Amino acid sequence: GAILGMAAHIDGLASNLLDQTGLAQKGGAVLSHVRLGRDINILRTPHIMTGCADLLIACDLVVAASPQAIECVRSDRTKTVINAHNSPVSAFVENNAIDFQQENLKRAVEAHTLEGARHYLEATELATILLGDGIATNMFMLGFSWQKGLVPLSYEAIMRAIELNGVAIDANKKTFACGRMAAHDMETLEAFVKPYISVSHENIATNIEDVIKKRADMLTAYQDAAYAEKYMDLLHKVKPRDEDEIYMAVAKTYHKLLAIKDEYEVARLYTDGDFLKKLNNQFTGDFKLKFHMAPPIFEKRDPVTGDVKKRVFDPWMMGVLKLLSKLKFLRGTAFDIFGYSAERKMETALVSEYENLVEIVLDKLNKDNYQLCLEILETPLSYKGFGHVKERNVKSGRVKIEKLLAQLDGNDVIKKAS
């Protein structure tokens, strides 16, 4: 995640740099101390003392802003190279409402590092597009740092260290070169990768009309025009009462609940052409697909946790998915075999629950309880994940809604009494 370096010029420790940081192997939430020096006798410990780091390579901003990292840097000494990409931490799996507070993390790092010697770059996005894998981020950032003159090792020493490390030698050399290019001419590099960025910011809906139209179109592709009309019907009930935050909240939340990521939708997304287009943009040559799935009709559960276990399927699964995508008209009918699973029944119930919830909230909505009503109607946005993860999120979300409704009822009683 973050690499702290107390650097003096020496070429012979390049291998040590790669070994300690794992740069040529794989990434992870790791804080590595790396000390370089001419004389091995002065390097009595790899640990960097408080405030003694000359360089902070922050592959993960969350790790870089941690107390363990901050204690090693100093505002009048430490230069920084920071990956601006926000990497989800493991706790995000259990709590998908975590606010990573990106700007606060940046301020924390900036408050303890040298002003005028900070470099921010979208390393993960660039490395993934150029090299097909986010794991390349670490080596990409090392190349950037070296080109900026921040790593006091010779080019030959680093190349030899990559060779001696013996892991993905050609790929790591190429990644290092891409990082150097980013440091030398970022504008040219960004122009090169722009056509390969799958989601353009220009296509992101910003106003309420665009948000609703985009989601209605998505629901038409998801099922049909009648399904999109169902979505619009509820919004028509909300609009006369509010055209601001609550209207937007219902537009986003109701769509999320309607667009269940069921087997038919997964099949459609894999086979509508976009998925293969992205693969072909990222990879060349004879690559092979493997699918990690837990089909409900073949599911197996972990004997210890009771959670559903995924199984690996070979490329023939793509043919099954193409057939399944054409059967979406069965969704919600008596012939929908997937609809009988406990998870699908829960997700279907959530749609009806939300429709009732909107009616309850609109009936009580006033200027005094506006924010409380907004929080109630936005809570189902936390119903993320699949299987047991989504189950837990739904359970906690329902408890929260019950408490908020009780609070809403209490406020209503107080207002009537007054």
Side-chain angles (χ1 to χ4, degrees), residues 184-199:
H184 175 68
D185 190 348
M186 181 65 82
E187 187 175 336
T188 298
L189 187 66
E190 288 179 338
F192 175 76
V193 302
K194 187 175 181 180
Y196 301 97
I197 298 176
S198 57
V199 179

Side-chain angles (χ1 to χ4, degrees), residues 3 13 102 156 222 252 293 305 337:
I3 302 157
L13 291 181
Q102 187 86 340
E156 292 75 16
Y222 174 87
K252 292 181 177 180
M293 297 178 168
T305 65
I337 60 174

Side-chain angles (χ1 to χ4, degrees), residues 92 96-97 256 380-386 389-391 393-394:
F92 186 77
N96 53 57
K256 173 181 174 57
L381 288 173
S382 67
Y383 299 166
K384 298 177 182 178
F386 299 93
V389 174
K390 185 170 188 177
E391 222 173 281
N393 288 332
V394 169

Side-chain angles (χ1 to χ4, degrees), residues 60-62 65 82-87 99-110 120-122:
D60 185 324
L61 193 54
V62 174
I82 300 172
N83 180 16
H85 177 74
N86 207 354
S87 301
D99 180 2
F100 290 101
Q101 299 183 328
Q102 187 86 340
E103 291 306 315
N104 288 341
L105 294 175
K106 286 182 180 179
R107 283 194 289 270
V109 172
E110 289 173 354
Y120 285 95
L121 64 153
E122 287 287 348

Side-chain angles (χ1 to χ4, degrees), residues 33 47-53 70-74 77:
H33 292 236
H47 187 76
I48 297 174
M49 299 296 105
T50 301
C52 291
I70 294 299
E71 73 175 8
C72 297
V73 299
R74 204 169 75 200
R77 176 174 184 166

Side-chain angles (χ1 to χ4, degrees), residues 218-219 221-223 227 255-271 293-296 321 324-333 336-348 351 385-387 390:
M218 289 167 65
L219 289 172
Y222 174 87
Q223 183 68 17
Y227 202 63
H255 168 266
K256 173 181 174 57
L257 297 176
L258 286 172
I260 299 167
K261 192 68 69 70
D262 60 12
E263 290 74 13
Y264 305 108
E265 179 65 356
V266 170
R268 184 184 74 84
L269 293 174
Y270 268 124
T271 60
M293 297 178 168
L321 293 174
L324 188 58
S325 68
K326 299 180 185 302
L327 299 178
K328 66 178 184 179
F329 65 89
L330 296 176
R331 180 187 282 128
T333 71
D336 179 6
I337 60 174
F338 303 109
Y340 294 101
S341 70
E343 185 174 356
R344 294 292 165 263
K345 288 179 179 179
M346 176 191 72
E347 290 170 328
T348 302
V351 174
F386 299 93
K390 185 170 188 177

Side-chain angles (χ1 to χ4, degrees), residues 202-337:
E202 287 80 10
N203 294 328
I204 297 176
T206 53
N207 59 59
I208 185 63
E209 290 79 13
D210 289 342
V211 167
I212 293 174
K213 183 181 183 306
K214 183 176 181 179
R215 280 159 175 75
D217 290 343
M218 289 167 65
L219 289 172
T220 300
Y222 174 87
Q223 183 68 17
D224 52 32
Y227 202 63
E229 190 59 35
K230 174 183 173 73
Y231 170 71
M232 295 301 302
D233 287 343
L234 184 64
L235 292 178
H236 290 326
K237 294 179 182 179
V238 178
K239 191 172 183 179
R241 296 299 312 276
D242 182 80
E243 294 186 51
D244 195 9
E245 291 180 86
I246 284 179
Y247 190 39
M248 177 73 88
V250 175
K252 292 181 177 180
T253 308
Y254 192 44
H255 168 266
K256 173 181 174 57
L257 297 176
L258 286 172
I260 299 167
K261 192 68 69 70
D262 60 12
E263 290 74 13
Y264 305 108
E265 179 65 356
V266 170
R268 184 184 74 84
L269 293 174
Y270 268 124
T271 60
D272 67 355
D274 285 345
F275 173 68
L276 290 177
K277 182 179 178 182
K278 291 175 184 176
L279 282 183
N280 290 323
N281 282 341
Q282 287 191 356
F283 302 100
T284 57
D286 186 22
F287 58 82
K288 185 178 181 181
L289 296 176
K290 283 191 178 291
F291 299 87
H292 296 255
M293 297 178 168
I297 55 177
F298 303 115
E299 69 180 29
K300 291 184 178 180
R301 293 188 175 271
D302 188 294
V304 178
T305 65
D307 297 336
V308 175
K309 296 173 64 177
K310 290 185 178 181
R311 297 170 59 194
V312 180
F313 296 90
D314 289 327
W316 57 263
M317 179 55 73
M318 185 61 84
V320 176
L321 293 174
K322 285 181 180 179
L323 174 62
L324 188 58
S325 68
K326 299 180 185 302
L327 299 178
K328 66 178 184 179
F329 65 89
L330 296 176
R331 180 187 282 128
T333 71
F335 300 100
D336 179 6
I337 60 174

